[in-house]
Amino acid sequence: MAAGEHENVSPLVFRLHEGSPPVVREVLLERGWEEYDEQEHEEGDWNLYWRTSAFRNSDYENILPWQRMNHHPKTIHITRKDCLTRHLRRMKSAYGTSAYDFSPPAFILPNEYTKFLGVYTRNRTSGKSQYWICKPVDLSRGRGIFLFDDIKDLAYDSPVIVQKYISDPLLISGYKFDLRIYVCVKSFSPLVIYMHQEGLVRFGTEKYSLASLDNLYSHLTNTSINKFGLCYTAYKEQVGRGCKWTMSKFRCFLHNQGVNDLLLWNKISNIVTLTLLTAAPSIPSSPNCLELLGFDILIDTSFKPWLLEVNYSPALSLDCPADVTVKKGLINDIIDLMNYKMIDSFRHKGYLRTRYMRPCCPRHYLRPPAFLLHKTTGPNKSISSNSIRVCPRKETYNTHTYHKQLVDVFLNDEEIDNEESDLTALSQVRQTSRKLASTACKLPSLHVQNHKSPTAPSNRQSKDRCIPPFRVGDFILTFPFNEVTWKASRDEVDVKTVVHEVHKLTSRLASSFSDKERTKMDKRDVVRDRFEALLWGPKNPPLLSEFSSEC
Ligand code: ADP
């Protein structure tokens, strides 16, 4: 579309806060977006605001229907190490240790020093070997972290957590690694979680050894640390140069080793769900937001995955080829997940200005442009002030309502009201919208179904508007995963039911992987379920139900 060809249409606009990753800009420009410029654009004339840090409350209050933001409010709570420890502990005591046994025991110091000392002393007396890792609660990238096995080496001058060190990690050619899993929470209410199939595997660059606890290149897998190691550029047996693999490469590795990774992915997906459940009930609903989180998972020698931490605004810097592959794809899929519609590009030029639409003003009834008002007088009559229902407040005037109304307006002549100014504007919009429909407009392809397997989500999914798409690019819907969890998370999340379902699914999957147990499987639930959820993990994931029904 040539610039200026359609007066009322403009490209989607992104706004990057200072310090945002350059790859976000790169991807959006490649997709034909325009960057927000304070001098050129009106306030509110943007579709995406990306920040590495948290937004202010007022940003949420002022959000307009065509806008999206890359954080939900209050999610920072599960990404601070001490908060996460507290949340998981609370869930453990409410729903049982067996459901929440995926995070290494931890103590928040200085407050819990005496408690820690008690455990340390008991272990010492019983002759158990014990290794601990001390981490500042609010730092990232490995900063301030150290290991110890003797309490005399524990020193700190800011709040820290002291966590049991998983001392038997799975190694590849003697090198420790952990997994960076990218998770997108599309919504907290209802809870909707996607996991990206491509993640990163991050290696230590010196061989793992408990004999040298102070060698950070051997014990920590952060790139920010290892890229300064002497062995970073050297070729390392099997691992290669650098310190990262893509998840695809890791899957290949597992297959070559004869490891059935499906159960592992399912366990990781459960960790993600159970962790997010700790926060979901306290996060306000914000339909225009989504949250990208980085889950750090360590696998031990018995293939048990452990949650090390959850990262807010996970690093999106491009340090190596694996980063480029994974992170560019990730950003593209996030934009698709944001579900922009053509309608979002009609955000200004006279009738969608913030003065009409701003939904934030508490206690005020806002007056949207006349063509968005519901008429009660019939299609061709002029409207009087008492015959219109003004959309009242943010809670009842959400994006979906807005989109529906605008789409109606674009597609249905009878919806046009008689206010002259709006009519002129609207006819331009409609013409443009029709032209756009027939031109190659560079809007995102929504909910792309790359998966060509015959078991991919079928028509059934599109017929049921309520169920979120099972796959968007490389994002796989991991929660809700069946009818029960969908219902349990629709309004106020029913944590107990969800925990129970997660547990049931894992047991079912575990038994479906064991030939001996297959005959014992209960098929009844599966047959009744409309869900055709995919099992996150492999490049072409099978349906969950394939593993829950008789094979
Ligand atoms: P940061 O936010 O500073 O990256 P992490 O908790 O992710 O802190 O820890 C950094 C690295 O330390 C991890 O990537 C992992 O390699 C290692 N690590 C952290 N906690 C543990 C643990 N409990 N057991 C084993 N290794 C750990």
mmCIF file of all heavy atoms in Angstrom, residues 81 104 133 135-136 139-145 147 161 163-167 169 176-178 180 202 208 219-222 224 296 298 307-309 311, ligand 1:
data_model
loop_
_atom_site.group_PDB
_atom_site.id
_atom_site.type_symbol
_atom_site.label_atom_id
_atom_site.label_comp_id
_atom_site.label_asym_id
_atom_site.label_seq_id
_atom_site.Cartn_x
_atom_site.Cartn_y
_atom_site.Cartn_z
ATOM 1 N N LYS A 81 12.818 -13.692 43.363
ATOM 2 C CA LYS A 81 13.123 -15.033 43.903
ATOM 3 C C LYS A 81 12.473 -15.277 45.267
ATOM 4 O O LYS A 81 12.017 -16.385 45.554
ATOM 5 C CB LYS A 81 14.640 -15.223 43.979
ATOM 6 C CG LYS A 81 15.307 -15.213 42.610
ATOM 7 C CD LYS A 81 16.810 -15.353 42.720
ATOM 8 C CE LYS A 81 17.497 -15.443 41.377
ATOM 9 N NZ LYS A 81 17.517 -14.181 40.609
ATOM 10 N N PRO A 104 13.525 -26.552 44.274
ATOM 11 C CA PRO A 104 14.429 -26.930 45.364
ATOM 12 C C PRO A 104 14.077 -26.137 46.622
ATOM 13 O O PRO A 104 13.787 -24.933 46.529
ATOM 14 C CB PRO A 104 15.813 -26.528 44.838
ATOM 15 C CG PRO A 104 15.645 -26.284 43.377
ATOM 16 C CD PRO A 104 14.224 -25.934 43.137
ATOM 17 N N ILE A 133 23.087 -22.947 47.227
ATOM 18 C CA ILE A 133 23.389 -21.831 46.324
ATOM 19 C C ILE A 133 22.712 -20.590 46.892
ATOM 20 O O ILE A 133 21.557 -20.633 47.320
ATOM 21 C CB ILE A 133 22.950 -22.137 44.874
ATOM 22 C CG1 ILE A 133 23.339 -21.024 43.909
ATOM 23 C CG2 ILE A 133 21.458 -22.439 44.759
ATOM 24 C CD1 ILE A 133 23.294 -21.433 42.432
ATOM 25 N N LYS A 135 21.511 -16.687 46.362
ATOM 26 C CA LYS A 135 21.213 -15.770 45.253
ATOM 27 C C LYS A 135 20.512 -14.507 45.777
ATOM 28 O O LYS A 135 19.520 -14.619 46.508
ATOM 29 C CB LYS A 135 20.263 -16.438 44.243
ATOM 30 C CG LYS A 135 20.555 -17.904 43.930
ATOM 31 C CD LYS A 135 19.757 -18.392 42.750
ATOM 32 C CE LYS A 135 18.888 -19.568 43.083
ATOM 33 N NZ LYS A 135 18.240 -20.180 41.911
ATOM 34 N N PRO A 136 20.979 -13.356 45.387
ATOM 35 C CA PRO A 136 20.270 -12.113 45.760
ATOM 36 C C PRO A 136 18.838 -12.163 45.215
ATOM 37 O O PRO A 136 18.625 -12.604 44.086
ATOM 38 C CB PRO A 136 21.074 -11.015 45.063
ATOM 39 C CG PRO A 136 22.412 -11.625 44.804
ATOM 40 C CD PRO A 136 22.196 -13.088 44.609
ATOM 41 N N LEU A 139 18.238 -9.780 41.894
ATOM 42 C CA LEU A 139 19.192 -9.598 40.791
ATOM 43 C C LEU A 139 18.989 -10.706 39.770
ATOM 44 O O LEU A 139 18.360 -11.727 40.053
ATOM 45 C CB LEU A 139 20.633 -9.609 41.316
ATOM 46 C CG LEU A 139 21.063 -8.405 42.158
ATOM 47 C CD1 LEU A 139 22.540 -8.491 42.508
ATOM 48 C CD2 LEU A 139 20.773 -7.087 41.424
ATOM 49 N N SER A 140 19.551 -10.499 38.593
ATOM 50 C CA SER A 140 19.429 -11.519 37.551
ATOM 51 C C SER A 140 20.796 -11.696 36.900
ATOM 52 O O SER A 140 21.785 -11.102 37.320
ATOM 53 C CB SER A 140 18.398 -11.068 36.515
ATOM 54 O OG SER A 140 18.801 -9.837 35.978
ATOM 55 N N ARG A 141 20.845 -12.505 35.885
ATOM 56 C CA ARG A 141 22.046 -12.771 35.087
ATOM 57 C C ARG A 141 23.224 -13.292 35.916
ATOM 58 O O ARG A 141 24.372 -12.967 35.687
ATOM 59 C CB ARG A 141 22.461 -11.524 34.294
ATOM 60 C CG ARG A 141 21.464 -11.213 33.193
ATOM 61 C CD ARG A 141 21.831 -10.020 32.389
ATOM 62 N NE ARG A 141 21.297 -8.795 32.968
ATOM 63 C CZ ARG A 141 21.972 -7.673 33.137
ATOM 64 N NH1 ARG A 141 23.227 -7.593 32.781
ATOM 65 N NH2 ARG A 141 21.392 -6.619 33.668
ATOM 66 N N GLY A 142 22.898 -14.031 36.960
ATOM 67 C CA GLY A 142 23.943 -14.676 37.744
ATOM 68 C C GLY A 142 24.673 -13.744 38.706
ATOM 69 O O GLY A 142 25.603 -14.165 39.411
ATOM 70 N N ARG A 143 24.255 -12.475 38.739
ATOM 71 C CA ARG A 143 24.980 -11.506 39.569
ATOM 72 C C ARG A 143 24.837 -11.828 41.047
ATOM 73 O O ARG A 143 23.733 -12.086 41.541
ATOM 74 C CB ARG A 143 24.472 -10.089 39.298
ATOM 75 C CG ARG A 143 24.923 -9.547 37.953
ATOM 76 C CD ARG A 143 24.249 -8.251 37.615
ATOM 77 N NE ARG A 143 22.816 -8.407 37.445
ATOM 78 C CZ ARG A 143 21.974 -7.407 37.222
ATOM 79 N NH1 ARG A 143 22.427 -6.169 37.181
ATOM 80 N NH2 ARG A 143 20.679 -7.618 37.068
ATOM 81 N N GLY A 144 25.949 -11.827 41.748
ATOM 82 C CA GLY A 144 25.949 -12.001 43.204
ATOM 83 C C GLY A 144 25.721 -13.437 43.668
ATOM 84 O O GLY A 144 25.554 -13.690 44.862
ATOM 85 N N ILE A 145 25.714 -14.406 42.754
ATOM 86 C CA ILE A 145 25.433 -15.804 43.140
ATOM 87 C C ILE A 145 26.725 -16.533 43.533
ATOM 88 O O ILE A 145 27.763 -16.360 42.905
ATOM 89 C CB ILE A 145 24.764 -16.553 41.970
ATOM 90 C CG1 ILE A 145 23.414 -15.912 41.641
ATOM 91 C CG2 ILE A 145 24.614 -18.046 42.267
ATOM 92 C CD1 ILE A 145 22.592 -16.628 40.597
ATOM 93 N N LEU A 147 28.144 -20.526 45.566
ATOM 94 C CA LEU A 147 27.784 -21.839 46.118
ATOM 95 C C LEU A 147 28.561 -22.053 47.412
ATOM 96 O O LEU A 147 29.668 -21.509 47.581
ATOM 97 C CB LEU A 147 28.181 -22.947 45.148
ATOM 98 C CG LEU A 147 27.240 -23.287 44.001
ATOM 99 C CD1 LEU A 147 27.099 -22.155 43.021
ATOM 100 C CD2 LEU A 147 27.753 -24.532 43.282
ATOM 101 N N ILE A 161 18.105 -15.520 48.727
ATOM 102 C CA ILE A 161 17.556 -16.834 49.066
ATOM 103 C C ILE A 161 18.720 -17.820 49.057
ATOM 104 O O ILE A 161 19.653 -17.709 48.251
ATOM 105 C CB ILE A 161 16.415 -17.309 48.132
ATOM 106 C CG1 ILE A 161 16.886 -17.548 46.712
ATOM 107 C CG2 ILE A 161 15.218 -16.389 48.168
ATOM 108 C CD1 ILE A 161 15.939 -18.453 45.921
ATOM 109 N N GLN A 163 19.226 -21.673 48.507
ATOM 110 C CA GLN A 163 18.439 -22.751 47.915
ATOM 111 C C GLN A 163 19.279 -24.024 47.850
ATOM 112 O O GLN A 163 20.494 -23.957 47.647
ATOM 113 C CB GLN A 163 18.036 -22.321 46.497
ATOM 114 C CG GLN A 163 17.005 -23.180 45.822
ATOM 115 C CD GLN A 163 16.597 -22.599 44.475
ATOM 116 O OE1 GLN A 163 17.450 -22.322 43.629
ATOM 117 N NE2 GLN A 163 15.306 -22.405 44.280
ATOM 118 N N LYS A 164 18.608 -25.149 48.013
ATOM 119 C CA LYS A 164 19.312 -26.430 47.878
ATOM 120 C C LYS A 164 19.902 -26.480 46.470
ATOM 121 O O LYS A 164 19.202 -26.199 45.490
ATOM 122 C CB LYS A 164 18.330 -27.571 48.086
ATOM 123 C CG LYS A 164 18.953 -28.933 48.005
ATOM 124 C CD LYS A 164 17.951 -30.000 48.393
ATOM 125 C CE LYS A 164 18.561 -31.367 48.324
ATOM 126 N NZ LYS A 164 18.458 -32.050 47.081
ATOM 127 N N TYR A 165 21.172 -26.799 46.385
ATOM 128 C CA TYR A 165 21.830 -26.868 45.081
ATOM 129 C C TYR A 165 21.580 -28.246 44.484
ATOM 130 O O TYR A 165 21.848 -29.262 45.129
ATOM 131 C CB TYR A 165 23.332 -26.613 45.253
ATOM 132 C CG TYR A 165 24.078 -26.506 43.948
ATOM 133 C CD1 TYR A 165 23.819 -25.463 43.066
ATOM 134 C CD2 TYR A 165 25.050 -27.447 43.595
ATOM 135 C CE1 TYR A 165 24.502 -25.361 41.859
ATOM 136 C CE2 TYR A 165 25.741 -27.347 42.393
ATOM 137 C CZ TYR A 165 25.451 -26.298 41.528
ATOM 138 O OH TYR A 165 26.129 -26.197 40.332
ATOM 139 N N ILE A 166 21.024 -28.291 43.283
ATOM 140 C CA ILE A 166 20.804 -29.587 42.615
ATOM 141 C C ILE A 166 22.172 -30.038 42.117
ATOM 142 O O ILE A 166 22.681 -29.552 41.094
ATOM 143 C CB ILE A 166 19.795 -29.468 41.437
ATOM 144 C CG1 ILE A 166 18.489 -28.818 41.904
ATOM 145 C CG2 ILE A 166 19.529 -30.826 40.794
ATOM 146 C CD1 ILE A 166 17.744 -29.562 42.990
ATOM 147 N N SER A 167 22.759 -30.969 42.870
ATOM 148 C CA SER A 167 24.173 -31.279 42.634
ATOM 149 C C SER A 167 24.371 -32.430 41.649
ATOM 150 O O SER A 167 25.503 -32.772 41.332
ATOM 151 C CB SER A 167 24.866 -31.580 43.960
ATOM 152 O OG SER A 167 24.178 -32.630 44.600
ATOM 153 N N PRO A 169 23.101 -32.655 38.237
ATOM 154 C CA PRO A 169 22.423 -32.277 36.993
ATOM 155 C C PRO A 169 22.770 -33.240 35.866
ATOM 156 O O PRO A 169 23.842 -33.848 35.881
ATOM 157 C CB PRO A 169 23.000 -30.889 36.695
ATOM 158 C CG PRO A 169 24.366 -30.914 37.311
ATOM 159 C CD PRO A 169 24.264 -31.781 38.530
ATOM 160 N N LYS A 176 27.350 -28.912 32.360
ATOM 161 C CA LYS A 176 26.030 -28.657 32.935
ATOM 162 C C LYS A 176 25.216 -27.774 31.972
ATOM 163 O O LYS A 176 25.784 -26.955 31.250
ATOM 164 C CB LYS A 176 26.211 -27.935 34.282
ATOM 165 C CG LYS A 176 24.910 -27.532 34.952
ATOM 166 C CD LYS A 176 25.172 -26.898 36.314
ATOM 167 C CE LYS A 176 23.910 -26.283 36.891
ATOM 168 N NZ LYS A 176 24.103 -25.759 38.250
ATOM 169 N N PHE A 177 23.920 -27.932 31.985
ATOM 170 C CA PHE A 177 23.075 -27.052 31.168
ATOM 171 C C PHE A 177 21.734 -26.867 31.859
ATOM 172 O O PHE A 177 21.351 -27.643 32.734
ATOM 173 C CB PHE A 177 22.847 -27.644 29.765
ATOM 174 C CG PHE A 177 22.099 -28.946 29.787
ATOM 175 C CD1 PHE A 177 20.711 -28.966 29.691
ATOM 176 C CD2 PHE A 177 22.770 -30.162 29.912
ATOM 177 C CE1 PHE A 177 20.009 -30.173 29.713
ATOM 178 C CE2 PHE A 177 22.074 -31.370 29.936
ATOM 179 C CZ PHE A 177 20.692 -31.382 29.838
ATOM 180 N N ASP A 178 21.047 -25.798 31.505
ATOM 181 C CA ASP A 178 19.637 -25.686 31.897
ATOM 182 C C ASP A 178 18.820 -25.234 30.697
ATOM 183 O O ASP A 178 19.370 -24.908 29.645
ATOM 184 C CB ASP A 178 19.436 -24.787 33.132
ATOM 185 C CG ASP A 178 19.648 -23.311 32.861
ATOM 186 O OD1 ASP A 178 19.961 -22.942 31.700
ATOM 187 O OD2 ASP A 178 19.495 -22.495 33.794
ATOM 188 N N ARG A 180 15.944 -22.769 28.963
ATOM 189 C CA ARG A 180 15.177 -21.527 29.044
ATOM 190 C C ARG A 180 13.895 -21.751 28.225
ATOM 191 O O ARG A 180 13.936 -21.908 27.017
ATOM 192 C CB ARG A 180 16.004 -20.378 28.469
ATOM 193 C CG ARG A 180 15.225 -19.107 28.120
ATOM 194 C CD ARG A 180 14.439 -18.498 29.278
ATOM 195 N NE ARG A 180 15.232 -18.154 30.432
ATOM 196 C CZ ARG A 180 15.867 -16.997 30.619
ATOM 197 N NH1 ARG A 180 15.803 -16.075 29.693
ATOM 198 N NH2 ARG A 180 16.540 -16.786 31.733
ATOM 199 N N ARG A 202 21.176 -23.731 27.741
ATOM 200 C CA ARG A 202 22.318 -22.869 28.084
ATOM 201 C C ARG A 202 23.344 -23.672 28.877
ATOM 202 O O ARG A 202 23.017 -24.263 29.916
ATOM 203 C CB ARG A 202 21.834 -21.666 28.891
ATOM 204 C CG ARG A 202 20.667 -20.949 28.180
ATOM 205 C CD ARG A 202 20.066 -19.866 29.008
ATOM 206 N NE ARG A 202 19.844 -20.255 30.391
ATOM 207 C CZ ARG A 202 19.642 -19.418 31.381
ATOM 208 N NH1 ARG A 202 19.662 -18.131 31.147
ATOM 209 N NH2 ARG A 202 19.420 -19.858 32.590
ATOM 210 N N TYR A 208 31.727 -29.804 34.641
ATOM 211 C CA TYR A 208 31.075 -29.755 35.949
ATOM 212 C C TYR A 208 31.888 -30.539 36.971
ATOM 213 O O TYR A 208 32.280 -31.677 36.729
ATOM 214 C CB TYR A 208 29.680 -30.358 35.819
ATOM 215 C CG TYR A 208 28.856 -30.283 37.084
ATOM 216 C CD1 TYR A 208 28.311 -29.083 37.509
ATOM 217 C CD2 TYR A 208 28.629 -31.430 37.853
ATOM 218 C CE1 TYR A 208 27.551 -29.015 38.662
ATOM 219 C CE2 TYR A 208 27.867 -31.371 39.010
ATOM 220 C CZ TYR A 208 27.334 -30.147 39.402
ATOM 221 O OH TYR A 208 26.584 -30.085 40.544
ATOM 222 N N HIS A 219 29.404 -24.104 37.165
ATOM 223 C CA HIS A 219 28.160 -24.286 37.933
ATOM 224 C C HIS A 219 27.003 -23.403 37.485
ATOM 225 O O HIS A 219 25.852 -23.743 37.715
ATOM 226 C CB HIS A 219 28.429 -24.049 39.432
ATOM 227 C CG HIS A 219 29.286 -25.120 40.016
ATOM 228 N ND1 HIS A 219 28.792 -26.349 40.384
ATOM 229 C CD2 HIS A 219 30.617 -25.158 40.270
ATOM 230 C CE1 HIS A 219 29.767 -27.104 40.850
ATOM 231 N NE2 HIS A 219 30.895 -26.400 40.794
ATOM 232 N N LEU A 220 27.315 -22.252 36.897
ATOM 233 C CA LEU A 220 26.234 -21.371 36.447
ATOM 234 C C LEU A 220 26.127 -21.445 34.919
ATOM 235 O O LEU A 220 27.141 -21.497 34.228
ATOM 236 C CB LEU A 220 26.471 -19.916 36.864
ATOM 237 C CG LEU A 220 26.692 -19.622 38.350
ATOM 238 C CD1 LEU A 220 26.557 -18.121 38.599
ATOM 239 C CD2 LEU A 220 25.734 -20.379 39.245
ATOM 240 N N THR A 221 24.918 -21.418 34.432
ATOM 241 C CA THR A 221 24.725 -21.565 32.988
ATOM 242 C C THR A 221 24.326 -20.244 32.328
ATOM 243 O O THR A 221 23.956 -20.236 31.155
ATOM 244 C CB THR A 221 23.652 -22.638 32.719
ATOM 245 O OG1 THR A 221 22.496 -22.303 33.474
ATOM 246 C CG2 THR A 221 24.126 -24.014 33.104
ATOM 247 N N ASN A 222 24.395 -19.156 33.054
ATOM 248 C CA ASN A 222 24.036 -17.854 32.465
ATOM 249 C C ASN A 222 25.004 -17.489 31.338
ATOM 250 O O ASN A 222 26.225 -17.552 31.529
ATOM 251 C CB ASN A 222 24.127 -16.733 33.512
ATOM 252 C CG ASN A 222 23.279 -17.012 34.713
ATOM 253 O OD1 ASN A 222 23.672 -17.759 35.606
ATOM 254 N ND2 ASN A 222 22.086 -16.444 34.728
ATOM 255 N N SER A 224 25.425 -14.498 30.287
ATOM 256 C CA SER A 224 26.087 -13.256 30.690
ATOM 257 C C SER A 224 27.386 -13.534 31.449
ATOM 258 O O SER A 224 28.286 -12.701 31.469
ATOM 259 C CB SER A 224 25.145 -12.434 31.562
ATOM 260 O OG SER A 224 24.496 -13.286 32.483
ATOM 261 N N ASP A 296 13.364 -20.984 33.942
ATOM 262 C CA ASP A 296 14.638 -21.702 33.920
ATOM 263 C C ASP A 296 14.456 -23.064 34.572
ATOM 264 O O ASP A 296 14.068 -23.163 35.738
ATOM 265 C CB ASP A 296 15.710 -20.906 34.687
ATOM 266 C CG ASP A 296 16.101 -19.651 33.929
ATOM 267 O OD1 ASP A 296 15.735 -19.536 32.735
ATOM 268 O OD2 ASP A 296 16.783 -18.788 34.510
ATOM 269 N N LEU A 298 16.087 -26.922 35.283
ATOM 270 C CA LEU A 298 17.277 -27.785 35.333
ATOM 271 C C LEU A 298 16.795 -29.233 35.375
ATOM 272 O O LEU A 298 15.842 -29.550 36.101
ATOM 273 C CB LEU A 298 18.067 -27.468 36.609
ATOM 274 C CG LEU A 298 19.390 -28.202 36.750
ATOM 275 C CD1 LEU A 298 20.474 -27.494 35.928
ATOM 276 C CD2 LEU A 298 19.841 -28.250 38.204
ATOM 277 N N LEU A 307 12.375 -26.384 38.795
ATOM 278 C CA LEU A 307 12.234 -24.962 38.474
ATOM 279 C C LEU A 307 13.266 -24.166 39.262
ATOM 280 O O LEU A 307 13.313 -24.223 40.497
ATOM 281 C CB LEU A 307 10.834 -24.469 38.874
ATOM 282 C CG LEU A 307 10.611 -22.968 38.707
ATOM 283 C CD1 LEU A 307 10.587 -22.565 37.239
ATOM 284 C CD2 LEU A 307 9.319 -22.518 39.398
ATOM 285 N N LEU A 308 14.114 -23.429 38.552
ATOM 286 C CA LEU A 308 15.109 -22.612 39.254
ATOM 287 C C LEU A 308 14.580 -21.208 39.492
ATOM 288 O O LEU A 308 14.732 -20.657 40.563
ATOM 289 C CB LEU A 308 16.408 -22.536 38.457
ATOM 290 C CG LEU A 308 17.104 -23.868 38.184
ATOM 291 C CD1 LEU A 308 18.407 -23.632 37.456
ATOM 292 C CD2 LEU A 308 17.352 -24.626 39.488
ATOM 293 N N GLU A 309 13.975 -20.648 38.489
ATOM 294 C CA GLU A 309 13.374 -19.317 38.666
ATOM 295 C C GLU A 309 12.537 -18.930 37.469
ATOM 296 O O GLU A 309 12.595 -19.573 36.423
ATOM 297 C CB GLU A 309 14.440 -18.254 38.944
ATOM 298 C CG GLU A 309 15.267 -17.915 37.754
ATOM 299 C CD GLU A 309 15.818 -16.507 37.816
ATOM 300 O OE1 GLU A 309 15.373 -15.684 38.649
ATOM 301 O OE2 GLU A 309 16.693 -16.208 37.001
ATOM 302 N N ASN A 311 11.770 -15.672 34.995
ATOM 303 C CA ASN A 311 12.326 -14.361 34.621
ATOM 304 C C ASN A 311 11.287 -13.448 34.000
ATOM 305 O O ASN A 311 10.582 -13.838 33.069
ATOM 306 C CB ASN A 311 13.451 -14.562 33.605
ATOM 307 C CG ASN A 311 14.641 -15.229 34.241
ATOM 308 O OD1 ASN A 311 15.489 -14.573 34.827
ATOM 309 N ND2 ASN A 311 14.698 -16.557 34.166
HETATM 310 P P1 ADP B 1 19.724 -15.447 37.883
HETATM 311 O O1 ADP B 1 18.400 -14.783 37.925
HETATM 312 O O2 ADP B 1 20.776 -14.579 38.484
HETATM 313 O O3 ADP B 1 20.081 -15.993 36.538
HETATM 314 P P2 ADP B 1 19.168 -18.194 38.644
HETATM 315 O O4 ADP B 1 18.329 -18.641 39.770
HETATM 316 O O5 ADP B 1 18.617 -18.406 37.279
HETATM 317 O O6 ADP B 1 19.581 -16.686 38.882
HETATM 318 O O7 ADP B 1 20.549 -18.939 38.756
HETATM 319 C C1 ADP B 1 21.603 -18.763 37.826
HETATM 320 C C2 ADP B 1 22.165 -20.102 37.408
HETATM 321 O O8 ADP B 1 22.620 -20.816 38.568
HETATM 322 C C3 ADP B 1 21.131 -21.029 36.776
HETATM 323 O O9 ADP B 1 21.013 -20.763 35.422
HETATM 324 C C4 ADP B 1 21.710 -22.387 37.084
HETATM 325 O O10 ADP B 1 22.707 -22.740 36.173
HETATM 326 C C5 ADP B 1 22.350 -22.193 38.433
HETATM 327 N N1 ADP B 1 21.427 -22.563 39.535
HETATM 328 C C6 ADP B 1 20.587 -21.739 40.181
HETATM 329 N N2 ADP B 1 19.909 -22.372 41.157
HETATM 330 C C7 ADP B 1 20.337 -23.636 41.142
HETATM 331 C C8 ADP B 1 20.025 -24.773 41.928
HETATM 332 N N3 ADP B 1 19.157 -24.720 42.937
HETATM 333 N N4 ADP B 1 20.674 -25.932 41.639
HETATM 334 C C9 ADP B 1 21.561 -25.996 40.621
HETATM 335 N N5 ADP B 1 21.896 -24.945 39.862
HETATM 336 C C10 ADP B 1 21.314 -23.769 40.099
#
